[in-house]
Each structure stands twice: as structure tokens, then as C-alpha cells.
Amino acid sequence: MVVTVTHEDFAINRLIEERKNPEMGAMVSFIGVVRDDGIERIELEAHQEVAVEELEVIRDEAFAKFPIKSVDIIHRIGDLNVGDNIVLILVGAGHRREAFEGCEYIIERLKERVPIWKKEYTKEGERWVPGKGE
Amino acid sequence: MKIRVQSFARFREIFGSEQIREMEEGATLAALLLEMAAENHAARAALFDENGTVRRYIILMLNKKRIDREELEKTTLSDGDELALYPPVAGG
């Protein structure tokens, strides 16, 4: 299983094939993608060491809360263009319900707690995307 | 004593990515934030609201442990401490 913050893109199909095992009847993936909100590109910045530690805590929480079999979390940083992948969460479980619940739990906690920030670049200039409570 | 302060995202653009601050023995985390805020208007506006209260959305990590706003006055700093200063996160 992988938990990482990286400049590299991910290969979702390859990861799914690597994770499949006979105990799994369901694999749920969430992929966050750069949306065209009138932007030219975005830049993602992280406090990388702390971000990975926090993602590992969230993974462990998901295992404690749901009967899931595998969790992979890959979050990208650096310059990304519209349509580029930002984040992948892949959860394997015996049944679909726990796979969906585990995957949703992880992305919601990630957006609340993991030290990663987005800056948008448009023709008019640049701005940091406001975070929760800002 | 020396305190290392790291800042990220828009805070990095105000405070720089890293600075070493010299503080008196026994200084609190609240005192450190006040010193940083005193340097210019942008720093003060980033850290404190119009009532002089530390903004509720700021995330402070001292030696990788999250510090609540209620703990700022009673958190005493030590030589070599590392403070990370985050604006609200926006990943995913």
C-alpha cells in the first residue's frame, strides 16, 4: 500500500491490478482533477513531511473505523494544468459499502487536515485558494 | 534562545519560508506571534484579527504538535523549538 506526496502522476489501472486480491469484492477510487475555473494552471504546495504523516494517521483511522482491506493515497504537488490528476484514493474492501465509506472518510479528512495548499494562476493574476474557515 | 519558524503558502510570501528568531528565555508562543506581527501591517493582518485575537483559522504546529489558540499564552518556548505556521489547508 502507498501513502505519498509526490510530483509524479499516478497510473490508476496499474495500481488497481496490484491491489486486487481474492478477499476483495469492491474497490472504490476517488480521483481529484484540476477543474477549469477560468484558470491557466495551479500550483500545489505541501509541508511534505507532515503531510505524509497526517495521511498515514488518516489511513490508520480509516482502517480502525471500517472493515476495509487496502488503502492507497497519492497526492501530487507542483505545477498542474486543467485535466491533470491531483489526488488518488483507492480503497479495497470485501463489499462496496465499506469501500465507499472508507474512501469518503479519507478525502474529507484530507481536505480538513493535511497541510497542502493550492494557488491558481489566471490571466488576471494569481491567488491562493481559501481554506476552511478563511 | 533561538526558535525556527517555517511558513507555508501565502504565509511564506509574508514571513519567508524560514526564519530564526531570537527570543528571551521563558518567552511564550503568544509573545513570539506578537513580535512577528509587530514587523509590518501584512504580518499583523495575517496573524491577528481586528480585535487583536489570533485568527481562528491559523494552524500552529510546535515541534510537529498542533497547538490550540487557548494554549498560546501558557506554551513556553525552549531553545531549538520549531514552529510551523499554516494558513487553512486546501488540498484534495
Side-chain angles (χ1 to χ4, degrees):
Chain A
M1 288 185 276
V2 176
V3 174
T4 190
V5 173
T6 174
H7 283 86
E8 304 302 315
D9 198 2
F10 40 79
I12 175 70
N13 289 339
R14 190 174 67 208
L15 198 61
I16 288 170
E17 290 306 316
E18 288 173 3
R19 286 300 164 269
K20 277 183 184 171
N21 83 43
E23 291 182 307
M24 285 180 196
M27 298 184 85
V28 166
S29 65
F30 170 83
I31 302 176
V33 179
V34 181
R35 183 177 53 230
D36 185 358
D37 287 336
I39 61 168
E40 295 185 327
R41 64 183 173 94
I42 67 167
E43 179 187 341
L44 286 163
E45 174 179 333
H47 189 181
Q48 197 156 355
E49 181 189 0
V50 177
V52 172
E53 286 175 8
E54 193 71 44
L55 288 173
E56 289 171 345
V57 169
I58 293 169
R59 172 201 61 196
D60 294 346
E61 288 173 0
F63 273 115
K65 284 176 180 291
F66 308 101
I68 54 182
K69 307 288 187 190
S70 75
V71 171
D72 291 274
I73 310 171
I74 301 173
H75 204 300
R76 297 180 69 192
I77 51 174
D79 288 330
L80 298 176
N81 297 308
V82 172
D84 282 349
N85 295 322
I86 301 174
V87 59
L88 168 66
I89 297 166
L90 180 64
V91 177
H95 301 91
R96 66 183 180 278
R97 178 180 294 275
E98 49 261 36
F100 275 118
E101 289 177 343
C103 189
E104 184 175 30
Y105 178 87
I106 292 167
I107 185 61
E108 294 301 328
R109 299 296 87 71
L110 185 159
K111 293 181 86 73
E112 289 169 359
R113 289 165 30 193
V114 179
I116 298 174
W117 301 271
K118 289 180 200 169
K119 188 182 228 182
E120 293 178 343
Y121 290 82
T122 69
K123 285 188 173 65
E124 288 74 41
E126 57 190 57
R127 66 157 204 154
W128 289 100
V129 176
K132 196 181 175 193
E134 200 167 0
Chain B
M1 62 181 178
K2 289 183 166 51
I3 310 296
R4 179 174 176 235
V5 182
Q6 286 182 286
S7 306
F8 294 86
R10 65 182 173 84
F11 285 0
R12 172 173 48 75
E13 295 171 354
I14 298 169
F15 301 106
S17 59
E18 184 175 319
Q19 54 175 291
I20 305 293
R21 298 197 71 97
E22 188 70 47
M23 300 291 293
E24 288 183 8
E25 290 295 326
T28 64
L29 188 47
L32 172 61
L33 295 179
L34 278 171
E35 271 204 21
M36 291 176 67
E39 290 184 351
N40 58 58
H41 177 73
R44 177 158 189 85
L47 295 176
F48 291 90
D49 64 20
E50 54 282 2
N51 300 316
T53 308
V54 175
R55 291 192 182 279
R56 69 185 187 291
Y57 53 70
I58 291 174
I59 301 169
L60 296 155
M61 305 272 290
L62 185 61
N63 301 324
K64 295 184 184 169
K65 181 178 173 293
R66 196 172 291 217
I67 304 289
D68 291 335
R69 283 197 313 160
E70 294 72 29
E71 297 174 289
L72 296 176
E73 293 284 355
K74 56 189 175 194
T75 300
T76 305
L77 298 168
S78 302
D79 188 43
D81 275 355
E82 294 185 354
L83 176 69
L85 200 55
Y86 298 163
V89 300

